[in-house]
Amino acid sequence: MNTMLIPLLVAIPLLFAFFIPLVARRIRALADILGNLATLATLIIAILLFGSRGVYELGGWSPPIGINWVLDGFSNLMLVIINLISFTATLFSSKYMEQYTAKYKYYSLFLLMVGGMNGVVLTGDIFNLFVFLEIASVASYALVAFGGNHEELEASFKYLILASIGSTLILFGIALVYGATGYLNMAAISSAIAAGGLSPILLFAVVFFIVGFGIKAALVPFHPWLPDAHPSAPAPISAMLSGVLIKALGIYALIRIMFNVIGMTPVFGWVLIAVGVLSMVVGVFLAVGQWDFKRLLAYHSISQMGYVILGIGLGGYILSSGGNQSVAMLAILGGVFHLANHSVFKSLLFLCSGSIEYSTGTRQLKEMGGLLEQMPLTRATCTIASLSIAGIPPFNGFWSKLIIMIAAIQAGFLWLAAITILVSFVTLISFLKVLRYTFLGKLPETLREVRESPAIMSVALVILAILCTGMGLLLVPGVREVILDPAVEALAQGFEYAQVVLAGF
């Protein structure tokens, strides 16, 4: 594997982010072409690198002194997810963003966000992780406010304040870790902790990390920014925020540090389980009463992230307490698989909401109805995504939820399995409401002239709908071992991550 391809995942988005405003200021179509070209290029590179393992040393300086970027099973999977969703979002943006001004600014900010997320996933240096996290965060603040209206500016300001608190806590945690170990390289930190154990300072740093990354991931009780940010942001940005941003900056960073740097303990496992259950239950019940389509989807993002944290936290608890390793691996598999599934079906749901809003001018469910004939493709893809998030077979959300439930039962936590079923049932009720009020019933007079969204937007919907239908095949023997199991093993190896990285694979 040519490790020289690894930095292109960060370099291409950042270079295009600065290049597009220089050449596309007057030609709007050029911004679309270059923006889609950049995300397509990073997606192709992520696919080409998939299955590879490697360490790229910046400037030729070896760890632990230099900054290194690490490609393993988990970062492989995350990179494909991030760049796939980014490409479908830029496809959708080509027409959708025509209602906004300055598309070249939009694509510049969008690609800064993509480059930042790729950097977070690749970096093996904890301070470098913070730098990339801030690049992506600052770009996302501006994108939430891109429309410039009062609602959007207010939501962006709330997001900025709360996310900045999270960033500050993360930075404090990094400072404490550096003070306790003398390293910023994650593999070196891991080796130091494996040799010396967790000191009170490091435990204090863990608290900062859980709260800081919990805010970035919008986990309960750190979630208040998300329900305002999603309805205000343009639909492609909502898809990015929910589909990949909260995962890359929140979920991925938290579990990578907890499993491979700090090291899991039974207490940490229970904390993740508790946060997961709380997010699942609070998010889904807050979603049921919403009539703003995008706000409803935002609360479901909180709930679905609970599934991810529950599965991975349960696996971490079982591993660290000396339980059945196969059950632990199954739980982590469920969490990781649901992370991938959620990226697809939730991005599709937000793009569907954007398609509906683009054509009807509203996102209020009570103002819709009867769009079954007017928007057949949007209706079909939205139905697929709704069944996926509700966990209805054979769509992708069913399989990851089923794995988490089976793992909970095999681990003896029947009450956790019961909660997963309850939350899925309430989720189904919520999306039956969405489908009923959006596509069924009588068509309002004001929507008689509504037609399907432009073709380029529909292409993005179809790509994601096909994935929702077919991702269950990732569990087929032979496929699972190539795509999902390496990500699970990368987390389960814990402190062995340090030996793998420092040995240069």
Side-chain angles (χ1 to χ4, degrees), residues 126-127 170-185 188-189 192-193 197-206 208-209 261-262:
I126 198 168
F127 184 76
I170 292 167
L171 185 59
F172 284 164
I174 292 170
L176 291 175
V177 169
Y178 179 68
T181 65
Y183 295 109
L184 291 172
N185 181 273
I189 294 168
I193 294 174
L198 284 172
S199 66
I201 292 177
L202 288 171
L203 290 173
F204 202 39
V206 170
F208 283 155
F209 287 142
V261 180
I262 301 294

Side-chain angles (χ1 to χ4, degrees), residues 211-467:
V211 177
F213 289 120
I215 292 173
K216 297 291 184 181
L219 297 169
V220 175
F222 317 115
H223 67 286
W225 63 271
L226 191 65
D228 288 330
H230 274 317
S232 303
I237 300 308
S238 295
M240 290 293 290
L241 286 175
S242 182
V244 288
L245 190 81
I246 60 175
K247 297 178 180 68
L249 306 193
I251 302 294
Y252 171 86
L254 176 61
I255 61 179
R256 174 67 87 183
I257 289 174
M258 295 298 291
F259 276 79
N260 298 132
V261 180
I262 301 294
M264 283 298 296
T265 69
V267 173
F268 296 162
W270 270 115
V271 169
L272 294 182
I273 291 171
V275 171
V277 170
L278 193 62
S279 298
M280 288 167 59
V281 175
V282 172
V284 77
F285 280 104
L286 287 175
V288 168
Q290 302 300 319
W291 293 98
D292 182 312
F293 192 2
K294 290 178 72 177
R295 195 173 183 87
L296 178 147
L297 295 179
Y299 279 115
H300 278 295
S301 291
I302 296 167
S303 178
Q304 296 300 308
M305 285 303 93
Y307 277 98
V308 175
I309 288 295
L310 169 61
I312 295 174
L314 177 61
Y317 167 77
I318 297 170
L319 280 177
S320 59
S321 60
N324 188 310
Q325 186 168 354
S326 63
V327 175
M329 299 289 275
L330 186 66
I332 296 173
L333 172 67
V336 169
F337 191 26
H338 198 68
L339 183 151
N341 287 336
H342 179 265
S343 295
V344 174
F345 62 62
K346 183 50 71 69
S347 297
L348 176 55
L349 282 166
F350 271 111
L351 293 185
C352 285
S353 73
S355 177
I356 293 167
E357 187 178 5
Y358 181 89
S359 297
T360 66
T362 182
R363 59 176 190 252
Q364 298 298 322
L365 296 178
K366 290 184 177 180
E367 296 176 6
M368 302 179 197
L371 295 175
L372 183 68
E373 300 297 331
Q374 269 70 17
M375 305 185 71
L377 190 141
T378 300
R379 181 261 302 168
T381 54
C382 188
T383 300
I384 289 172
S386 298
L387 296 176
S388 297
I389 192 173
I392 302 300
F395 301 104
N396 60 344
F398 167 77
W399 302 106
S400 48
K401 290 184 178 182
L402 179 64
I403 292 171
I404 294 171
M405 183 183 69
I406 292 173
I409 292 172
Q410 291 186 350
F413 296 103
L414 299 181
W415 60 279
L416 288 179
I419 290 173
T420 63
I421 296 171
L422 171 65
V423 172
S424 286
F425 179 71
V426 179
T427 302
L428 177 61
I429 293 173
S430 181
F431 280 92
L432 288 176
K433 180 181 81 170
V434 168
L435 297 175
R436 158 68 180 84
Y437 279 89
T438 304
F439 300 108
L440 303 179
K442 184 179 180 181
L443 182 69
E445 288 294 329
T446 55
L447 302 182
R448 293 288 178 185
E449 302 302 318
V450 166
R451 293 295 179 266
E452 188 60 81
S453 299
I456 192 68
M457 294 168 60
S458 298
V459 169
L461 301 183
V462 170
I463 291 171
L464 294 175
I466 291 172
L467 289 171

